[in-house]
Structures are given as structure tokens and as C-alpha cells.
Amino acid sequence: MQSLSVELNGAIAAIALLLLVIQVPALAVLLSRLLQGPRRHSPLQPQPPLSDLLGTVSIVVPTLNEAARIGPCLDGLSRQSYEVREIIVVDSRSQDGTPELVKAVGEQDPRIRLITDDPLPPGWVGRPWALHTGFLHSSADSQWVLGIDADTRPQPGLVSSLIQTARRQGYDLVSLAPQFILKELGEFWLQPALLMTLVYRFGPAGGTLAGADRVMANGQCFLCKRSLLVELDGYTSARSSFCDDVTLARHAARHGATVGFLDGSQLLKVRMYEGAVETWREWGRSLDLKDASSIGQKWGDLGFLVAVQGLPLLSVLGFAICLRLGYTSLPVMAVLVLNSLLLLMRVALLWAIAPSYDFTQAKASWSFWLSPLADPLAVYRIYLSSIRTPTQWRGRSYS
């Protein structure tokens, strides 16, 4: 019995050493990214338009059965000032009354124009095809093209702030991280854990970019110089991508464009999905970003997430039990301390990301503070997404 205990102690110590070898370098990488937080670009604020912004922006809104969500989006876009030349809604043959709703709003705002895109060509995903169609139909007199998703709620001063920031900072392409509107208990528990997978991999919005392959972007609010889109042949480089925003942004960065991903929580709100199940199914499909990444980067990022987000909670629970049972070797103590530190960092980050959430419509916002318990599940979702190719997306089926 004593020999068995010695062997078990050695096995537990070996596992602890292996975890230390994996997690210590991963922690160093994580700290290098999170420490950008204090130096990051401050959240953008609403700005009044300047006289020289007149008609500089064409807005493109892709839609497919968005009647239940597009109203607040169009209302917010109509409240943008004279910098907006046109608002092109590209509908992909919606069956829920979306076109009729858009036409009705267009009677109140002549800038709103509805077009229907052609049938999806081979090799294209629906969203980049709709955006590409809108770009081709936009005015050549506009200096910028702004892609906006139908589930967003643009706040007054959004477009002016975007343009002024892009000009001042010299961006050719800039996208915004929004403020999320969550309501149900399950959403508040799961969604922040999924969001944290992005923060851990790419740092906070407004941080310093570390090369084209680490560029982050958000297609919900995606501003690009028209001249750059002409040079890149519109959205063709992202035609087959289910994360077309990141794919296009990285492609642009490789071609020398200056790309920014900034905090837009004061300018843009979004109600993405209804409930935790839809969040798991829909958002989880593209969070791996495999369409914009090399195979090595995809699996390297997954291994990194396992080390710093998936394992800490499980490790603390497991090695605390080992400690309770008398297995008190130095590696066991070290791995327990390391993973406790990772958990404390994760809890502290809740305060950092809290401004990214609108709590005013929440029914159970207290579950937000329990979201670290969903971290292993979030990392598992990234794994599932990494090994699967979507066959359905926003009502469309793909082979």
C-alpha cells in the first residue's frame, strides 16, 4: 500500500510538472497581451459632424430575415448626420417581411435604399456576398464604406466619431467592439466566457496589434476606405469565410493597410442572439477564426486557451483535492498557486469587461459574475468549432 501511495504521489507530481511546463509560458504570453490594457486607445465617444464630412460615407446593411431586429438599426442609422450619403440595405430574399419594413422606413429617410442581391455564386458565403454587392452599388463619390449588421443599434454620433478617429489616427480600416445587450441568465453566464476567448488571444480592443496575422476585427461595424476596397477587389478575399471581417482585415493588413480595432461601447449596441443555446450554436461557429488563420495558428491558439482558460478551474479543484489527501509535493503546490492566480486574473477581468455589457435589460445579470465557471465549456466550444465546418448559417445551407 505504501509503495502504491509513493507511485501515485510521483504520478501526480509528474502531471503537475507537465502543467507547469505548459502553463508558465502561456501565462507570460497572456500577461504581455493583457498589460496593453492601461495603454490602449480609449473608448470612442460620440462626435458632432464636421463640415467637410458631408456625404463621405456609404453604409451597407446585409439582411436575411431580419424583420424582428432591423428596426432599431435603421432608426439609429437614420439619426446619423449629413456625413452619411446613402444607406444601402442588401436583402437576400427575406421571407419574413424585411423588405417591406425597409421600404416603409425608407419613405421617412430618402438615404435608405433597398436592393436584392443576386443568387449566391459558387464559393461565396452569404454575408460577404451581400456586402460585396452593396459595395458595387455604392456611390463612387463616397470616401468610406461602412458595413453595419442588422442586429446593431447605432448611437448618435457613431459615424462622425468613426470617420474623425480614422482620419486622426491614419486608419485605412477600422472596426468597433460593441456593447452587448444580454437578458437571460444563461446568456450572462456563457457569453462573457466566449468573449474572453477573444480577449485572451488578441488582447483588449484598442490595444497594439502584433502583426497582420494577429489583427482582430468586428464586421458588425466595419469602416473601410473605398479606395482600399477597390484595390482589394471588394470582399472577394473573404468570399468563402465565415469570419469574413477578420479575414478581410488581415488580408488588408498584409497589403500594407493600417488597421484598427477599437472600443465602441459608447457608440454601438448589439443584441446578437436570443438565449444561451443560440449563442452557443451561432456565435460559437466562427469564434475559432480558422478561416482567417493558418492551421498552426488555429491549433496554437486552442492550446493556449486550454492552458490559460480551460484548465485553471479544473486544476484548482483537482489539485486542491490532492492537497487535501496529503499529496503535498512542490510541483503540486506550485501548480495550485499558478492556477489560483489565473482564476483570480479571470475574475478581475470581469470588472474590465463589464462596460462592454448593457445591464439595463437584464433579468439575471448576477450570473455574469459566475461566467468563469463556464470557461472550460467555452474552450470546448472553440475546439468543436475548430474541427467542424459550418453547414448552415443565418438560414442558408452550405455544402
Side-chain angles (χ1 to χ4, degrees):
M1 182 66 72
Q2 185 175 1
S3 62
L4 179 61
S5 178
V6 171
E7 291 179 5
L8 187 57
N9 187 58
I12 292 173
I15 293 172
L17 280 172
L18 178 61
L19 284 177
L20 289 172
V21 169
I22 294 171
Q23 290 185 297
V24 168
L27 174 59
V29 172
L30 177 62
L31 288 173
S32 70
R33 293 171 181 170
L34 296 182
L35 288 175
Q36 296 180 31
R39 304 189 304 273
R40 72 187 184 117
H41 194 293
S42 58
L44 269 60
Q45 302 297 320
Q47 297 293 333
L50 302 177
S51 58
D52 62 343
L53 295 181
L54 178 65
T56 55
V57 183
S58 290
I59 296 178
V60 178
V61 185
T63 61
L64 176 59
N65 296 325
E66 299 284 2
R69 303 194 293 179
I70 197 174
C73 175
L74 294 179
D75 180 64
L77 292 179
S78 292
R79 294 175 184 273
Q80 304 303 310
S81 192
Y82 51 72
E83 66 275 5
V84 177
R85 176 184 298 273
E86 57 188 350
I87 302 167
I88 305 171
V89 179
V90 184
D91 188 68
S92 300
R93 294 171 175 78
S94 296
Q95 301 299 314
D96 67 343
T98 297
E100 291 75 18
L101 193 154
V102 173
K103 290 176 183 177
V105 178
E107 293 178 358
Q108 308 300 319
D109 187 342
R111 296 176 298 178
I112 296 176
R113 177 159 54 102
L114 175 70
I115 64 174
T116 302
D117 56 6
D118 293 331
L120 201 61
W124 280 83
V125 173
R127 187 175 182 279
W129 174 242
L131 289 167
H132 185 72
T133 300
F135 160 65
L136 294 178
H137 283 80
S138 63
S139 172
D141 294 327
S142 293
Q143 300 173 22
W144 300 86
V145 177
L146 173 61
I148 289 283
D149 276 4
D151 56 7
T152 61
R153 304 180 183 187
Q155 304 300 299
L158 163 67
V159 177
S160 181
S161 179
L162 262 176
I163 300 299
Q164 292 184 48
T165 300
R167 285 182 170 183
R168 186 169 58 251
Q169 302 294 329
Y171 290 124
D172 301 302
L173 187 161
V174 61
S175 61
L176 298 183
Q179 186 178 70
F180 298 98
I181 300 172
L182 304 183
K183 296 181 180 181
E184 306 296 337
L185 182 150
E187 293 176 75
F188 266 109
W189 180 69
L190 176 63
Q191 202 268 9
L194 292 171
L195 178 65
M196 197 59 65
T197 67
L198 296 174
V199 176
Y200 275 19
R201 281 178 285 170
F202 306 107
T208 303
L209 301 177
D213 290 338
R214 305 306 299 180
V215 162
M216 188 56 191
N218 178 25
Q220 293 169 327
C221 183
F222 191 95
L223 179 74
C224 188
K225 279 185 177 178
R226 181 180 178 81
S227 58
L228 176 60
L229 281 177
V230 171
E231 179 185 342
L232 299 178
D233 193 16
Y235 291 79
T236 55
S237 63
R239 59 184 175 272
S240 61
S241 176
F242 288 96
C243 57
D244 56 275
D245 43 10
V246 179
T247 300
L248 182 61
R250 291 181 178 178
H251 181 66
R254 293 187 195 102
H255 280 72
T258 303
V259 179
F261 177 58
L262 305 179
D263 185 341
S265 57
Q266 303 300 309
L267 300 173
L268 187 74
K269 297 187 179 186
V270 60
R271 173 70 176 155
M272 291 173 61
Y273 304 115
E274 297 295 330
V277 173
E278 191 176 33
T279 300
W280 171 272
R281 183 180 65 246
E282 299 292 341
W283 200 28
R285 284 175 180 165
S286 60
L287 275 177
D288 63 290
L289 304 183
K290 60 177 177 287
D291 293 344
S293 309
S294 66
I295 293 177
Q297 184 180 354
K298 178 184 73 172
W299 292 111
D301 279 356
L302 178 61
F304 170 75
L305 286 176
V306 169
V308 298
Q309 189 177 1
L311 286 175
L313 177 62
L314 302 177
S315 296
V316 167
L317 293 175
F319 284 97
I321 293 174
C322 291
L323 194 65
R324 181 77 173 176
L325 294 175
Y327 298 103
T328 57
S329 64
L330 182 59
V332 169
M333 299 292 291
V335 80
L336 188 58
V337 170
L338 175 63
N339 283 276
S340 297
L341 174 62
L342 283 165
L343 272 183
L344 287 173
M345 289 173 53
R346 172 65 173 86
V347 172
L349 283 170
L350 286 173
W351 275 269
I353 68 170
S356 297
Y357 291 90
D358 180 349
F359 292 90
T360 60
Q361 302 181 48
K363 299 177 182 178
S365 61
W366 55 267
S367 61
F368 169 81
W369 304 102
L370 299 180
S371 66
L373 300 178
D375 279 2
L377 193 62
V379 175
Y380 177 62
R381 187 64 183 93
I382 302 298
Y383 165 73
L384 292 178
S385 181
S386 298
I387 62 174
R388 298 173 179 173
T389 299
T391 57
Q392 290 187 331
W393 193 270
R394 291 291 192 186
R396 276 193 169 108
S397 296
Y398 299 91
S399 59

